[in-house]
Amino acid sequence: MMTNVDSVPEAARFSELVERMMNETVTQAANSPKRFMTKRGNITSSQSLYSLAQCTQDLSSFDCKTCLQKSISQLRTTQLGGRMLFPSCYSRYELYPFYTQNVTAAPAVPQSPPLHASVTRPGGRSRISTSIIIAIIASIAVSVAWKHWRDETPLQLLDSTLSNSYSRDEVIRCVHVGLLCVQEDPTERPTMATIDLMLNSYSVTLPSPQQPAFYLGTRREVTMPSNKPCSVYEESITELYPR
């Protein structure tokens, strides 16, 4: 959960408006083939309210709606903004446009190059293929990636569409770099230039990743300056909801 620390003056009226609009957004998202919907409503003549609801596309319409209803039931609707993230669905409202307006469908996923495409560097050595990087890193979920890394089973994260057309060392290196990119301390995350070097030079020794920032099962609270839209961050997973 992330929520704005500032409360609204007419809390009851505001909360009723947020709940009504979120319920409408949830219903439309669940019935959408993309399992995604955004809405914009008016609080006053000069102030708008923005909402978003989204599920992973593997959920049925019924399961999506169930997940989102559970999500919005835990939103703090008397605050100036808030969001709730579950493993399979996400809901959010704000008093500012936090998404591209007039877009009511989930953005298209860029198509990856052919699975066997690769780039050869001078000297005949083949660098890690772009498709391998996309297929592996894009398939990594952190509450899963860290567990497999810790259990020394990183190949379980491999996209099944790659079949046998991959290098074991390349897969492990991509997973390793992916975990380094989600370290708790931002200063320990590699820059893009460093990532490029890590992926294309096996002479670079990678540091051991620590437990990621978003690994389920932790709880932490961070207070940031009040001028930030969402200035309290809470993460507490006490129950798993059915997908």
Side-chain angles (χ1 to χ4, degrees):
M1 175 191 293
M2 295 182 71
T3 184
N4 195 300
V5 293
D6 298 319
S7 301
V8 294
E10 299 180 47
R13 175 180 172 276
F14 181 80
S15 178
E16 181 182 356
L17 177 62
V18 171
E19 290 175 6
R20 182 170 68 248
M21 187 163 159
M22 289 303 302
N23 275 298
E24 293 174 358
T25 310
V26 163
T27 299
Q28 294 180 25
N31 292 327
S32 165
K34 298 288 188 179
R35 304 291 185 256
F36 176 89
M37 187 57 61
T38 63
K39 288 183 69 68
R40 175 184 175 183
N42 293 323
I43 299 175
T44 65
S45 58
S46 59
Q47 179 63 65
S48 296
L49 176 66
Y50 302 85
S51 65
L52 178 151
Q54 183 173 20
C55 295
T56 55
Q57 292 186 37
D58 61 311
L59 295 190
S60 66
S61 177
F62 176 82
D63 287 342
C64 176
K65 189 171 184 178
T66 300
C67 184
L68 285 171
Q69 286 176 333
K70 174 72 75 171
S71 170
I72 64 174
S73 71
Q74 298 187 32
L75 280 174
R76 297 178 183 175
T77 55
T78 57
Q79 308 301 118
L80 289 181
R83 68 188 81 169
M84 180 67 72
L85 175 65
F86 285 171
S88 296
C89 66
Y90 175 65
S91 62
R92 181 179 179 183
Y93 75 91
E94 302 287 355
L95 299 186
Y96 61 90
F98 59 94
Y99 52 81
T100 303
Q101 296 187 58
N102 69 38
V103 174
T104 56
V109 178
Q111 294 298 308
S112 62
L115 289 178
H116 298 292
S118 63
V119 178
T120 301
R121 295 180 293 176
R125 289 182 298 165
S126 176
R127 62 189 292 180
I128 299 176
S129 64
T130 303
S131 59
I132 293 285
I133 297 171
I134 294 173
I136 296 171
I137 295 184
S139 69
I140 294 180
V142 175
S143 31
V144 179
W146 175 249
K147 180 179 183 299
H148 281 299
W149 183 264
R150 184 187 58 193
D151 295 344
E152 299 183 354
T153 57
L155 294 180
Q156 294 296 317
L157 296 166
L158 185 64
D159 191 322
S160 59
T161 61
L162 290 177
S163 184
N164 295 319
S165 58
Y166 65 88
S167 161
R168 182 179 184 279
D169 290 340
E170 289 180 355
V171 172
I172 294 175
R173 198 168 187 85
C174 286
V175 174
H176 195 159
V177 172
L179 287 171
L180 291 176
C181 290
V182 291
Q183 292 296 277
E184 182 84 22
D185 186 351
T187 62
E188 294 180 356
R189 301 171 193 166
T191 64
M192 289 306 298
T194 303
I195 290 172
D196 183 66
L197 183 62
M198 288 175 169
L199 291 175
N200 295 308
S201 175
Y202 284 92
S203 63
V204 177
T205 302
L206 307 188
S208 297
Q210 303 301 312
Q211 180 171 300
F214 305 111
Y215 182 65
L216 296 181
T218 63
R219 178 182 176 87
R220 61 190 184 88
E221 183 173 306
V222 180
T223 302
M224 299 183 294
S226 60
N227 61 344
K228 300 292 184 182
C230 286
S231 52
V232 171
Y233 176 84
E234 297 178 356
E235 183 179 302
S236 178
I237 305 297
T238 57
E239 180 178 356
L240 294 178
Y241 299 97
R243 296 184 55 152

